[in-house]
Amino acid sequence: MTTTDRRTALTACAGLVAAGALTTGCGTKGAAAHPAAHPSGSAPAPPRTSRPPAAPTAPAPRRFPGHPVQVAHGPRDRPRVALTFHGQGDPATARAILTEAERHGARVTVLAVGTWLDAHPELARRILDGGHDLGNHTEHHLDVNAMTEAEAYAEITGCARRLRRLTGSIGTWFRPSRAARASPLVERLAVRAGYPHVLSYDVDSLDFTSPGAPAVTRTVLGAVRAGSVVSLHFGYADTVAALPALLDELDRRGLHAVTTTELIG
């Protein structure tokens, strides 16, 4: 290559580098290409791996004027009921219950235990993606009414923080653990933590006693009325087995299973 040819080639290569079209080194015949220097003098950092998308943001708690702080049922003049589930236990039963509810066009309310969400964080997404309510059932599912003020508040806010990390919200409802109703102290602490209402219920399925699927169905259907809030549990095979017949009969009676937010609102 003549001197003129070499000068022409180097000038063209420099133009490509300036334009960003070439990132390797330029040189005469036989020169090895080399990576572009990093401003810090070290090799460029590897590209970041994409993180899985976060669970959709859960709705925030709402205040329902005209309703007490502790809600046990909704309006009796609309053909709706709320099936509420204590969120704990084998995640396979949770998924089966959610799938069966959705097959019937039903929406439910899940009050999740914080340690359960810690072990199965993907279920927050599963619940919200199904259009269900997701709320707080304390951090460790202990007898919250028997605790000191500091202990009870830590149980409520611990689960609330976990829900916020997973979903961007503390959840729509708080339900006390190991109690049908919150004590006056726990009620006040829940309000302080950001929950305008505490969710109780007027129908107890007693499914946690494992009485058999037919007994669960009979217990619920014998007591449920328009506006009822029904207490059920994840983690029990009887509940999974009872749900199809329960939903079929609710449909036959013209009672639609909705989230508690829909029931009260």
Short mmCIF file of all heavy atoms in Angstrom, two decimals, residues 58-119:
data_model
loop_
_atom_site.label_atom_id
_atom_site.label_comp_id
_atom_site.label_asym_id
_atom_site.label_seq_id
_atom_site.Cartn_x
_atom_site.Cartn_y
_atom_site.Cartn_z
N ALA A 58 -51.84 -3.48 44.01
CA ALA A 58 -53.13 -3.79 44.63
C ALA A 58 -53.84 -2.50 44.97
O ALA A 58 -53.22 -1.49 45.30
CB ALA A 58 -52.90 -4.62 45.89
N PRO A 59 -55.17 -2.50 44.93
CA PRO A 59 -55.91 -1.32 45.37
C PRO A 59 -55.60 -1.01 46.83
O PRO A 59 -55.32 -1.91 47.63
CB PRO A 59 -57.38 -1.73 45.19
CG PRO A 59 -57.35 -2.85 44.20
CD PRO A 59 -56.05 -3.57 44.43
N ALA A 60 -55.64 0.25 47.17
CA ALA A 60 -55.41 0.67 48.55
C ALA A 60 -56.69 0.49 49.36
O ALA A 60 -57.78 0.35 48.81
CB ALA A 60 -54.97 2.13 48.57
N PRO A 61 -56.55 0.48 50.70
CA PRO A 61 -57.77 0.40 51.52
C PRO A 61 -58.68 1.59 51.23
O PRO A 61 -58.22 2.69 50.91
CB PRO A 61 -57.22 0.47 52.95
CG PRO A 61 -55.79 0.07 52.85
CD PRO A 61 -55.33 0.54 51.50
N ARG A 62 -59.97 1.34 51.36
CA ARG A 62 -60.97 2.40 51.13
C ARG A 62 -61.82 2.59 52.38
O ARG A 62 -62.07 1.66 53.12
CB ARG A 62 -61.90 2.02 49.97
CG ARG A 62 -61.29 2.12 48.59
CD ARG A 62 -62.26 1.60 47.54
NE ARG A 62 -63.57 2.25 47.63
CZ ARG A 62 -64.62 1.87 46.92
NH1 ARG A 62 -64.53 0.86 46.07
NH2 ARG A 62 -65.78 2.50 47.05
N ARG A 63 -62.26 3.82 52.56
CA ARG A 63 -63.21 4.11 53.63
C ARG A 63 -64.61 4.05 53.04
O ARG A 63 -64.88 4.62 51.98
CB ARG A 63 -62.94 5.49 54.21
CG ARG A 63 -63.82 5.82 55.42
CD ARG A 63 -63.50 7.20 55.96
NE ARG A 63 -62.09 7.32 56.33
CZ ARG A 63 -61.58 6.88 57.46
NH1 ARG A 63 -62.36 6.26 58.35
NH2 ARG A 63 -60.30 7.02 57.72
N PHE A 64 -65.50 3.36 53.72
CA PHE A 64 -66.88 3.24 53.27
C PHE A 64 -67.78 3.99 54.24
O PHE A 64 -68.14 3.46 55.31
CB PHE A 64 -67.29 1.76 53.17
CG PHE A 64 -66.52 1.00 52.13
CD1 PHE A 64 -65.40 0.27 52.47
CD2 PHE A 64 -66.91 1.03 50.80
CE1 PHE A 64 -64.68 -0.43 51.52
CE2 PHE A 64 -66.20 0.33 49.84
CZ PHE A 64 -65.09 -0.40 50.19
N PRO A 65 -68.15 5.22 53.92
CA PRO A 65 -69.00 6.00 54.83
C PRO A 65 -70.31 5.26 55.12
O PRO A 65 -70.89 4.61 54.26
CB PRO A 65 -69.27 7.28 54.02
CG PRO A 65 -68.12 7.38 53.06
CD PRO A 65 -67.78 5.96 52.70
N GLY A 66 -70.73 5.37 56.36
CA GLY A 66 -71.96 4.71 56.76
C GLY A 66 -71.77 3.30 57.27
O GLY A 66 -72.71 2.70 57.78
N HIS A 67 -70.55 2.77 57.12
CA HIS A 67 -70.25 1.43 57.61
C HIS A 67 -69.38 1.52 58.86
O HIS A 67 -68.55 2.42 58.98
CB HIS A 67 -69.55 0.60 56.54
CG HIS A 67 -70.44 0.20 55.41
ND1 HIS A 67 -71.22 -0.94 55.44
CD2 HIS A 67 -70.70 0.81 54.23
CE1 HIS A 67 -71.90 -1.03 54.31
NE2 HIS A 67 -71.61 0.02 53.57
N PRO A 68 -69.56 0.61 59.81
CA PRO A 68 -68.73 0.64 61.02
C PRO A 68 -67.28 0.32 60.70
O PRO A 68 -66.96 -0.18 59.61
CB PRO A 68 -69.36 -0.45 61.89
CG PRO A 68 -70.00 -1.39 60.92
CD PRO A 68 -70.49 -0.54 59.80
N VAL A 69 -66.40 0.58 61.65
CA VAL A 69 -65.00 0.23 61.46
C VAL A 69 -64.86 -1.27 61.26
O VAL A 69 -64.12 -1.73 60.38
CB VAL A 69 -64.15 0.71 62.66
CG1 VAL A 69 -62.73 0.16 62.56
CG2 VAL A 69 -64.13 2.22 62.72
N GLN A 70 -65.58 -2.06 62.03
CA GLN A 70 -65.52 -3.51 61.91
C GLN A 70 -66.72 -3.99 61.08
O GLN A 70 -67.87 -3.86 61.49
CB GLN A 70 -65.51 -4.19 63.28
CG GLN A 70 -65.10 -5.64 63.23
CD GLN A 70 -64.25 -6.04 64.42
OE1 GLN A 70 -63.62 -7.10 64.38
NE2 GLN A 70 -64.16 -5.24 65.45
N VAL A 71 -66.41 -4.53 59.90
CA VAL A 71 -67.45 -4.92 58.94
C VAL A 71 -67.64 -6.43 58.99
O VAL A 71 -66.68 -7.19 58.82
CB VAL A 71 -67.06 -4.48 57.52
CG1 VAL A 71 -68.05 -5.02 56.50
CG2 VAL A 71 -66.98 -2.96 57.43
N ALA A 72 -68.87 -6.89 59.21
CA ALA A 72 -69.17 -8.32 59.26
C ALA A 72 -70.02 -8.77 58.09
O ALA A 72 -70.09 -9.97 57.80
CB ALA A 72 -69.87 -8.68 60.56
N HIS A 73 -70.69 -7.85 57.41
CA HIS A 73 -71.51 -8.21 56.25
C HIS A 73 -71.76 -6.96 55.43
O HIS A 73 -71.54 -5.83 55.89
CB HIS A 73 -72.83 -8.86 56.68
CG HIS A 73 -73.69 -7.97 57.54
ND1 HIS A 73 -74.46 -6.95 57.03
CD2 HIS A 73 -73.86 -7.95 58.88
CE1 HIS A 73 -75.09 -6.34 58.02
NE2 HIS A 73 -74.74 -6.92 59.15
N GLY A 74 -72.23 -7.17 54.22
CA GLY A 74 -72.54 -6.07 53.33
C GLY A 74 -74.03 -5.81 53.26
O GLY A 74 -74.81 -6.37 54.02
N PRO A 75 -74.45 -4.96 52.31
CA PRO A 75 -75.88 -4.64 52.16
C PRO A 75 -76.69 -5.90 51.89
O PRO A 75 -76.29 -6.77 51.11
CB PRO A 75 -75.88 -3.70 50.95
CG PRO A 75 -74.51 -3.12 50.90
CD PRO A 75 -73.60 -4.20 51.37
N ARG A 76 -77.85 -5.97 52.53
CA ARG A 76 -78.72 -7.14 52.39
C ARG A 76 -79.66 -7.04 51.20
O ARG A 76 -80.39 -7.99 50.91
CB ARG A 76 -79.56 -7.32 53.67
CG ARG A 76 -78.75 -7.49 54.95
CD ARG A 76 -77.94 -8.75 54.98
NE ARG A 76 -77.47 -9.08 56.33
CZ ARG A 76 -76.64 -10.06 56.59
NH1 ARG A 76 -76.15 -10.82 55.62
NH2 ARG A 76 -76.27 -10.31 57.85
N ASP A 77 -79.66 -5.90 50.54
CA ASP A 77 -80.63 -5.69 49.46
C ASP A 77 -80.06 -5.94 48.07
O ASP A 77 -80.67 -5.60 47.07
CB ASP A 77 -81.20 -4.26 49.52
CG ASP A 77 -80.11 -3.18 49.41
OD1 ASP A 77 -78.91 -3.56 49.48
OD2 ASP A 77 -80.45 -2.01 49.27
N ARG A 78 -78.85 -6.51 48.02
CA ARG A 78 -78.25 -6.84 46.72
C ARG A 78 -77.85 -8.31 46.71
O ARG A 78 -77.36 -8.82 47.72
CB ARG A 78 -77.01 -5.97 46.45
CG ARG A 78 -77.36 -4.53 46.13
CD ARG A 78 -76.12 -3.71 45.82
NE ARG A 78 -75.34 -3.45 47.03
CZ ARG A 78 -74.20 -2.78 47.02
NH1 ARG A 78 -73.69 -2.32 45.89
NH2 ARG A 78 -73.54 -2.56 48.15
N PRO A 79 -78.04 -9.01 45.59
CA PRO A 79 -77.78 -10.47 45.55
C PRO A 79 -76.30 -10.80 45.41
O PRO A 79 -75.87 -11.40 44.44
CB PRO A 79 -78.58 -10.91 44.33
CG PRO A 79 -78.51 -9.74 43.41
CD PRO A 79 -78.57 -8.52 44.30
N ARG A 80 -75.53 -10.42 46.43
CA ARG A 80 -74.09 -10.64 46.41
C ARG A 80 -73.63 -11.21 47.73
O ARG A 80 -74.20 -10.92 48.78
CB ARG A 80 -73.34 -9.32 46.14
CG ARG A 80 -73.64 -8.67 44.81
CD ARG A 80 -72.91 -7.36 44.71
NE ARG A 80 -73.04 -6.74 43.40
CZ ARG A 80 -72.47 -5.58 43.06
NH1 ARG A 80 -71.75 -4.91 43.95
NH2 ARG A 80 -72.63 -5.09 41.85
N VAL A 81 -72.56 -12.00 47.67
CA VAL A 81 -71.90 -12.49 48.88
C VAL A 81 -70.39 -12.38 48.66
O VAL A 81 -69.92 -12.30 47.52
CB VAL A 81 -72.27 -13.95 49.20
CG1 VAL A 81 -73.76 -14.08 49.46
CG2 VAL A 81 -71.84 -14.89 48.07
N ALA A 82 -69.64 -12.37 49.76
CA ALA A 82 -68.17 -12.33 49.69
C ALA A 82 -67.62 -13.61 50.30
O ALA A 82 -67.87 -13.89 51.48
CB ALA A 82 -67.62 -11.11 50.41
N LEU A 83 -66.88 -14.37 49.52
CA LEU A 83 -66.16 -15.54 50.01
C LEU A 83 -64.75 -15.07 50.37
O LEU A 83 -64.00 -14.63 49.49
CB LEU A 83 -66.11 -16.64 48.97
CG LEU A 83 -67.47 -17.13 48.44
CD1 LEU A 83 -67.26 -18.24 47.42
CD2 LEU A 83 -68.38 -17.58 49.57
N THR A 84 -64.40 -15.13 51.64
CA THR A 84 -63.10 -14.63 52.09
C THR A 84 -62.26 -15.80 52.59
O THR A 84 -62.75 -16.66 53.31
CB THR A 84 -63.28 -13.58 53.20
OG1 THR A 84 -63.81 -14.20 54.38
CG2 THR A 84 -64.21 -12.47 52.75
N PHE A 85 -60.99 -15.79 52.21
CA PHE A 85 -60.09 -16.91 52.51
C PHE A 85 -58.92 -16.43 53.34
O PHE A 85 -58.25 -15.45 52.99
CB PHE A 85 -59.59 -17.54 51.20
CG PHE A 85 -60.64 -18.29 50.45
CD1 PHE A 85 -61.48 -17.62 49.57
CD2 PHE A 85 -60.81 -19.65 50.63
CE1 PHE A 85 -62.48 -18.30 48.88
CE2 PHE A 85 -61.79 -20.34 49.95
CZ PHE A 85 -62.63 -19.66 49.08
N HIS A 86 -58.65 -17.16 54.43
CA HIS A 86 -57.46 -16.93 55.22
C HIS A 86 -56.28 -17.51 54.43
O HIS A 86 -56.24 -18.71 54.15
CB HIS A 86 -57.57 -17.62 56.58
CG HIS A 86 -58.76 -17.15 57.38
ND1 HIS A 86 -58.64 -16.60 58.63
CD2 HIS A 86 -60.08 -17.16 57.10
CE1 HIS A 86 -59.83 -16.29 59.10
NE2 HIS A 86 -60.73 -16.62 58.18
N GLY A 87 -55.33 -16.66 54.07
CA GLY A 87 -54.25 -17.06 53.17
C GLY A 87 -53.07 -17.68 53.88
O GLY A 87 -52.17 -16.99 54.35
N GLN A 88 -53.07 -19.00 53.94
CA GLN A 88 -51.98 -19.75 54.55
C GLN A 88 -52.09 -21.19 54.07
O GLN A 88 -53.12 -21.59 53.52
CB GLN A 88 -52.08 -19.68 56.08
CG GLN A 88 -50.81 -20.08 56.81
CD GLN A 88 -50.94 -19.93 58.32
OE1 GLN A 88 -52.03 -20.02 58.87
NE2 GLN A 88 -49.83 -19.69 59.01
N GLY A 89 -51.04 -21.98 54.25
CA GLY A 89 -51.12 -23.39 53.89
C GLY A 89 -50.55 -23.71 52.53
O GLY A 89 -49.91 -22.88 51.88
N ASP A 90 -50.80 -24.92 52.08
CA ASP A 90 -50.26 -25.44 50.82
C ASP A 90 -50.68 -24.54 49.66
O ASP A 90 -51.87 -24.34 49.42
CB ASP A 90 -50.80 -26.86 50.60
CG ASP A 90 -50.22 -27.52 49.35
OD1 ASP A 90 -49.48 -26.86 48.60
OD2 ASP A 90 -50.54 -28.70 49.12
N PRO A 91 -49.71 -23.97 48.93
CA PRO A 91 -50.08 -23.08 47.82
C PRO A 91 -50.85 -23.79 46.72
O PRO A 91 -51.58 -23.14 45.97
CB PRO A 91 -48.73 -22.56 47.32
CG PRO A 91 -47.72 -23.55 47.80
CD PRO A 91 -48.25 -24.08 49.10
N ALA A 92 -50.73 -25.12 46.61
CA ALA A 92 -51.49 -25.84 45.59
C ALA A 92 -52.99 -25.71 45.83
O ALA A 92 -53.77 -25.58 44.89
CB ALA A 92 -51.08 -27.31 45.56
N THR A 93 -53.41 -25.73 47.10
CA THR A 93 -54.84 -25.57 47.38
C THR A 93 -55.28 -24.15 47.06
O THR A 93 -56.41 -23.93 46.60
CB THR A 93 -55.17 -25.91 48.84
OG1 THR A 93 -54.53 -24.98 49.71
CG2 THR A 93 -54.73 -27.31 49.20
N ALA A 94 -54.42 -23.19 47.30
CA ALA A 94 -54.76 -21.81 46.97
C ALA A 94 -54.99 -21.66 45.47
O ALA A 94 -55.98 -21.05 45.04
CB ALA A 94 -53.64 -20.88 47.43
N ARG A 95 -54.09 -22.20 44.68
CA ARG A 95 -54.24 -22.10 43.23
C ARG A 95 -55.50 -22.83 42.75
O ARG A 95 -56.21 -22.35 41.86
CB ARG A 95 -53.00 -22.66 42.53
CG ARG A 95 -51.73 -21.86 42.80
CD ARG A 95 -50.57 -22.36 41.95
NE ARG A 95 -49.34 -21.67 42.28
CZ ARG A 95 -48.43 -22.12 43.12
NH1 ARG A 95 -48.60 -23.29 43.72
NH2 ARG A 95 -47.33 -21.43 43.38
N ALA A 96 -55.77 -23.99 43.33
CA ALA A 96 -56.97 -24.74 42.93
C ALA A 96 -58.24 -23.96 43.25
O ALA A 96 -59.18 -23.92 42.45
CB ALA A 96 -56.98 -26.10 43.63
N ILE A 97 -58.28 -23.32 44.41
CA ILE A 97 -59.45 -22.54 44.80
C ILE A 97 -59.62 -21.33 43.89
O ILE A 97 -60.73 -21.03 43.43
CB ILE A 97 -59.33 -22.13 46.28
CG1 ILE A 97 -59.61 -23.34 47.17
CG2 ILE A 97 -60.28 -20.98 46.61
CD1 ILE A 97 -59.26 -23.13 48.63
N LEU A 98 -58.55 -20.63 43.62
CA LEU A 98 -58.64 -19.46 42.74
C LEU A 98 -59.10 -19.86 41.34
O LEU A 98 -59.95 -19.19 40.73
CB LEU A 98 -57.28 -18.75 42.67
CG LEU A 98 -56.79 -18.13 43.98
CD1 LEU A 98 -55.35 -17.68 43.82
CD2 LEU A 98 -57.68 -16.98 44.42
N THR A 99 -58.56 -20.95 40.83
CA THR A 99 -58.95 -21.42 39.49
C THR A 99 -60.42 -21.80 39.44
O THR A 99 -61.14 -21.45 38.49
CB THR A 99 -58.07 -22.61 39.08
OG1 THR A 99 -56.70 -22.19 39.03
CG2 THR A 99 -58.48 -23.14 37.72
N GLU A 100 -60.88 -22.50 40.47
CA GLU A 100 -62.29 -22.91 40.50
C GLU A 100 -63.21 -21.70 40.62
O GLU A 100 -64.26 -21.63 39.95
CB GLU A 100 -62.54 -23.86 41.67
CG GLU A 100 -63.93 -24.45 41.71
CD GLU A 100 -64.26 -25.32 40.51
OE1 GLU A 100 -63.32 -25.86 39.88
OE2 GLU A 100 -65.46 -25.48 40.20
N ALA A 101 -62.85 -20.74 41.44
CA ALA A 101 -63.66 -19.52 41.56
C ALA A 101 -63.75 -18.80 40.22
O ALA A 101 -64.84 -18.38 39.79
CB ALA A 101 -63.06 -18.60 42.62
N GLU A 102 -62.63 -18.67 39.54
CA GLU A 102 -62.61 -17.97 38.26
C GLU A 102 -63.40 -18.73 37.20
O GLU A 102 -64.02 -18.12 36.32
CB GLU A 102 -61.16 -17.74 37.83
CG GLU A 102 -60.45 -16.72 38.72
CD GLU A 102 -58.95 -16.87 38.73
OE1 GLU A 102 -58.41 -17.61 37.87
OE2 GLU A 102 -58.30 -16.27 39.63
N ARG A 103 -63.39 -20.04 37.27
CA ARG A 103 -64.17 -20.85 36.32
C ARG A 103 -65.66 -20.54 36.44
O ARG A 103 -66.40 -20.60 35.46
CB ARG A 103 -63.91 -22.33 36.57
CG ARG A 103 -64.47 -23.25 35.48
CD ARG A 103 -64.08 -24.70 35.75
NE ARG A 103 -64.77 -25.26 36.89
CZ ARG A 103 -66.02 -25.77 36.82
NH1 ARG A 103 -66.67 -25.77 35.68
NH2 ARG A 103 -66.58 -26.28 37.90
N HIS A 104 -66.10 -20.19 37.65
CA HIS A 104 -67.50 -19.84 37.88
C HIS A 104 -67.76 -18.34 37.70
O HIS A 104 -68.89 -17.88 37.94
CB HIS A 104 -67.91 -20.24 39.30
CG HIS A 104 -68.26 -21.68 39.45
ND1 HIS A 104 -67.31 -22.68 39.56
CD2 HIS A 104 -69.46 -22.30 39.51
CE1 HIS A 104 -67.91 -23.85 39.69
NE2 HIS A 104 -69.22 -23.65 39.66
N GLY A 105 -66.75 -17.59 37.34
CA GLY A 105 -66.91 -16.14 37.23
C GLY A 105 -66.97 -15.46 38.59
O GLY A 105 -67.48 -14.33 38.69
N ALA A 106 -66.48 -16.10 39.63
CA ALA A 106 -66.51 -15.55 40.98
C ALA A 106 -65.20 -14.85 41.30
O ALA A 106 -64.14 -15.19 40.76
CB ALA A 106 -66.77 -16.65 42.00
N ARG A 107 -65.28 -13.86 42.19
CA ARG A 107 -64.10 -13.20 42.71
C ARG A 107 -64.13 -13.32 44.23
O ARG A 107 -65.19 -13.24 44.84
CB ARG A 107 -64.07 -11.73 42.29
CG ARG A 107 -63.98 -11.53 40.77
CD ARG A 107 -62.65 -12.01 40.22
NE ARG A 107 -62.58 -11.90 38.76
CZ ARG A 107 -62.84 -12.88 37.92
NH1 ARG A 107 -63.21 -14.08 38.38
NH2 ARG A 107 -62.75 -12.70 36.63
N VAL A 108 -62.96 -13.49 44.84
CA VAL A 108 -62.90 -13.74 46.28
C VAL A 108 -61.98 -12.72 46.94
O VAL A 108 -61.36 -11.89 46.27
CB VAL A 108 -62.39 -15.18 46.56
CG1 VAL A 108 -63.27 -16.21 45.86
CG2 VAL A 108 -60.93 -15.35 46.15
N THR A 109 -61.90 -12.80 48.25
CA THR A 109 -61.01 -11.95 49.03
C THR A 109 -60.04 -12.84 49.78
O THR A 109 -60.46 -13.78 50.46
CB THR A 109 -61.82 -11.09 50.03
OG1 THR A 109 -62.73 -10.27 49.29
CG2 THR A 109 -60.90 -10.21 50.86
N VAL A 110 -58.76 -12.56 49.65
CA VAL A 110 -57.71 -13.34 50.32
C VAL A 110 -57.05 -12.45 51.37
O VAL A 110 -56.52 -11.38 51.05
CB VAL A 110 -56.66 -13.85 49.32
CG1 VAL A 110 -55.57 -14.64 50.06
CG2 VAL A 110 -57.31 -14.70 48.24
N LEU A 111 -57.11 -12.89 52.62
CA LEU A 111 -56.41 -12.21 53.71
C LEU A 111 -55.16 -13.02 54.00
O LEU A 111 -55.22 -14.10 54.58
CB LEU A 111 -57.30 -12.12 54.94
CG LEU A 111 -58.55 -11.23 54.89
CD1 LEU A 111 -58.24 -9.86 54.34
CD2 LEU A 111 -59.70 -11.87 54.14
N ALA A 112 -54.02 -12.52 53.54
CA ALA A 112 -52.79 -13.31 53.52
C ALA A 112 -51.96 -13.11 54.78
O ALA A 112 -51.83 -12.00 55.30
CB ALA A 112 -51.96 -12.96 52.30
N VAL A 113 -51.38 -14.21 55.25
CA VAL A 113 -50.42 -14.17 56.36
C VAL A 113 -49.06 -13.76 55.79
O VAL A 113 -48.63 -14.26 54.75
CB VAL A 113 -50.34 -15.54 57.05
CG1 VAL A 113 -49.26 -15.55 58.13
CG2 VAL A 113 -51.70 -15.91 57.64
N GLY A 114 -48.38 -12.85 56.48
CA GLY A 114 -47.12 -12.31 55.96
C GLY A 114 -46.06 -13.36 55.71
O GLY A 114 -45.38 -13.35 54.68
N THR A 115 -45.88 -14.30 56.65
CA THR A 115 -44.85 -15.32 56.46
C THR A 115 -45.20 -16.24 55.30
O THR A 115 -44.31 -16.78 54.63
CB THR A 115 -44.67 -16.15 57.74
OG1 THR A 115 -45.96 -16.64 58.17
CG2 THR A 115 -44.07 -15.30 58.86
N TRP A 116 -46.49 -16.44 55.04
CA TRP A 116 -46.92 -17.25 53.89
C TRP A 116 -46.56 -16.55 52.59
O TRP A 116 -46.05 -17.17 51.65
CB TRP A 116 -48.41 -17.48 53.99
CG TRP A 116 -49.02 -18.35 52.94
CD1 TRP A 116 -48.89 -19.70 52.81
CD2 TRP A 116 -49.88 -17.94 51.87
NE1 TRP A 116 -49.62 -20.16 51.72
CE2 TRP A 116 -50.24 -19.09 51.13
CE3 TRP A 116 -50.39 -16.71 51.47
CZ2 TRP A 116 -51.08 -19.05 50.02
CZ3 TRP A 116 -51.22 -16.65 50.37
CH2 TRP A 116 -51.55 -17.81 49.65
N LEU A 117 -46.78 -15.25 52.53
CA LEU A 117 -46.39 -14.49 51.35
C LEU A 117 -44.88 -14.49 51.17
O LEU A 117 -44.38 -14.50 50.04
CB LEU A 117 -46.89 -13.05 51.46
CG LEU A 117 -48.38 -12.81 51.21
CD1 LEU A 117 -48.72 -11.36 51.49
CD2 LEU A 117 -48.77 -13.19 49.79
N ASP A 118 -44.15 -14.47 52.28
CA ASP A 118 -42.70 -14.51 52.20
C ASP A 118 -42.22 -15.81 51.56
O ASP A 118 -41.29 -15.83 50.76
CB ASP A 118 -42.10 -14.36 53.60
CG ASP A 118 -40.60 -14.14 53.58
OD1 ASP A 118 -40.12 -13.42 52.69
OD2 ASP A 118 -39.91 -14.70 54.44
N ALA A 119 -42.90 -16.91 51.91
CA ALA A 119 -42.53 -18.21 51.35
C ALA A 119 -43.03 -18.40 49.92
O ALA A 119 -42.42 -19.14 49.14
CB ALA A 119 -43.08 -19.33 52.24
#
